[in-house]
Amino acid sequence: MLNSLSTLMLAATAALPLVAATGLVARTVHSRRQPVIVAAALAPWLMAAALPALVLAAVAGQWIAVAASAALLGAAVATQWPLYRARAPFLRSRRARYRARQLPDRGPLRPYGTRQLGTSGRTLRLMQANILVGGADPDALAASVDRLRIDVLTVCELTPQGLANLMASRLPELLPYHYCSTAERGKGTGIWSRYPLSDTQRHDGFVTELLSARIELPDDPAPLVFAVHPMPPWPIGREGGAPDGRGQHRGDRPR
């Protein structure tokens, strides 16, 4: 029994650093091969294997493995900690929003995505919504836009029926300018804005619809906004094909 446990520990001590190294290498390799992309997507979890590898190597007295695992763990922390630190304001904002939903008086909120532009001090509030293959409640989305005083909304998984539902809600009153490209199976996207849109473009070569537009702000430069819905690396590969049933829709004037 002890021999089996010792063998298992030695095997794990050898295998776990390889798992961590795979994650570390995958995130630095520029490749379009799906296995590499999947490994890069899982890199934080793969690199976490360096910690149990370090503990097991120390218990087993394998000091070379301890040094290798410590080096891998240090590299993992160096690559991941800046990402988590940059994400901290978003996490605090999300917790604040959850708390605000439980209060009768929500008060003014500053949603993540707020940006100050130009020299006028104007604040632009941006929001992104995934409407779940067109099935989300359009009135609830419009209410969120109104409550948060959103200036620009990007929507993904926009189907033709989803667009019809949104246009029948209060959303066009709140954000009267829009540029959309609908598609079935959740591959459509759209941009809604409080301000006029210009330089609207649909970018080819992507599995989902990728749109961009400039927001024409009074007395400020026009920022460029993208509506993007990235695809996961698995189970859909980069050869996933183009969307079916595309339909572009543009609103240049208040309705």
Side-chain angles (χ1 to χ4, degrees), residues 37-115:
I37 296 173
V38 172
L42 298 175
W45 303 103
L46 296 177
M47 287 187 289
L51 180 58
L54 177 62
V55 173
L56 290 176
V59 171
Q62 301 291 326
W63 304 116
I64 295 179
V66 167
S69 299
L72 288 169
L73 185 60
V77 171
T79 60
Q80 298 304 302
W81 174 246
L83 303 178
Y84 287 104
R85 184 176 58 185
R87 185 175 167 81
F90 165 71
L91 296 176
R92 288 195 295 268
S93 175
R94 185 172 65 177
R95 285 194 294 267
R97 290 200 298 273
Y98 284 148
R99 287 195 297 267
R101 290 171 186 170
Q102 299 172 2
L103 300 176
D105 182 12
R106 294 185 175 95
L109 295 178
R110 185 179 176 85
Y112 185 75
T114 301
R115 291 292 183 269

Side-chain angles (χ1 to χ4, degrees), residues 182-185 187-188 202 206-209 241-246:
T182 61
E184 298 296 344
R185 301 185 306 209
K187 295 181 179 179
R202 175 184 169 276
F206 296 88
V207 175
T208 58
E209 296 294 279
D244 297 325
R246 293 191 186 102

